[in-house]
Amino acid sequence: MSNIEQTLSIIKPDAVERNLQDQIRSEFKNNNFEIIKEKKIHISKEEAEKFYKVHETKPFYNDLCEYLSSGPIVVMMLKKDNAVLENRKLMGSTNPKDADEGTLRKKYGISIDKNSVHGSDSVENAKVELDFFFKD
Ligand code: IDP
Ligand code: MG
């Protein structure tokens, strides 16, 4: 039985800075994700704080928000069977050091904070996060 979902991917500033968006886009396509919408934007720190509000009590919250707003990002609406979990699998562990071979964070991530990609972690959060960037 199919379970088509949509999820949000963000190509983070470290990856956009290194011009990796074409390679990462190919990775999604090669893994049968459909890219429904895509845009390159540069968000403010206030917007980053809103996006990462779930992490507001974490010690790394301020740095995280500084970082996400430090340069352009590419946000994508992805669609696939079980897209949320499939994207998390393709991304790999939060810390690139722990990420499996072949995952995006293993291939492109620099460090736990500069880990190149974001992906929604649940169907519910995917809806909220997609709305955040793509609600017109
Ligand atoms: P995720 O991106 O794999 O879902 P989360 O726990 O949701 O990981 O954390 C959000 C982002 O915050 C991570 O992608 C990473 O960039 C950053 N982060 C998470 N844990 C740490 C940490 O211990 N130190 C610094 N940055 C962190
Ligand atoms: Mg997360």
Side-chain angles (χ1 to χ4, degrees):
M1 213 172 70
S2 80
N3 179 43
I4 298 292
E5 296 170 352
Q6 293 181 350
T7 192
L8 176 77
S9 172
I10 305 177
I11 305 178
K12 294 185 178 183
D14 66 276
V16 175
E17 194 173 282
R18 286 174 289 151
N19 250 307
L20 292 170
Q21 58 267 45
D22 290 348
Q23 270 181 74
I24 294 175
R25 195 182 299 108
S26 299
E27 302 256 13
F28 287 131
K29 290 188 176 162
N30 292 341
N31 284 278
N32 298 314
F33 286 90
E34 197 180 325
I35 299 167
I36 308 286
K37 291 184 185 176
E38 173 180 337
K39 62 182 176 183
K40 188 177 180 182
I41 52 176
H42 190 162
I43 62 170
S44 65
K45 185 163 180 209
E46 289 68 32
E47 289 173 300
E49 284 168 351
K50 209 172 149 200
F51 178 75
Y52 273 134
K53 195 156 174 59
V54 289
H55 292 304
E56 70 183 331
T57 60
K58 307 271 172 65
F60 56 84
Y61 179 61
N62 186 62
D63 287 350
L64 178 62
C65 297
E66 282 279 358
Y67 167 64
L68 195 70
S69 58
S70 68
I73 57 175
V74 175
V75 293
M76 292 176 178
M77 181 187 284
L78 302 179
K79 183 178 169 185
K80 186 183 171 173
D81 215 34
N82 303 311
V84 172
L85 187 63
E86 288 296 307
N87 182 38
R88 295 292 302 193
K89 285 202 279 192
L90 181 61
M91 286 163 57
S93 298
T94 305
N95 191 339
K97 283 186 192 146
D98 303 328
D100 289 339
E101 283 306 326
T103 61
L104 301 180
R105 283 168 164 173
K106 178 71 173 188
K107 283 185 182 172
Y108 306 116
I110 296 168
S111 57
I112 191 163
D113 44 324
K114 295 184 174 174
N115 59 8
S116 301
V117 283
H118 166 87
S120 309
D121 63 4
S122 67
V123 172
E124 196 186 355
N125 285 338
K127 291 199 175 96
V128 174
E129 293 182 356
L130 285 167
D131 254 18
F132 186 89
F133 287 110
F134 293 109
K135 198 163 190 168
D136 298 313

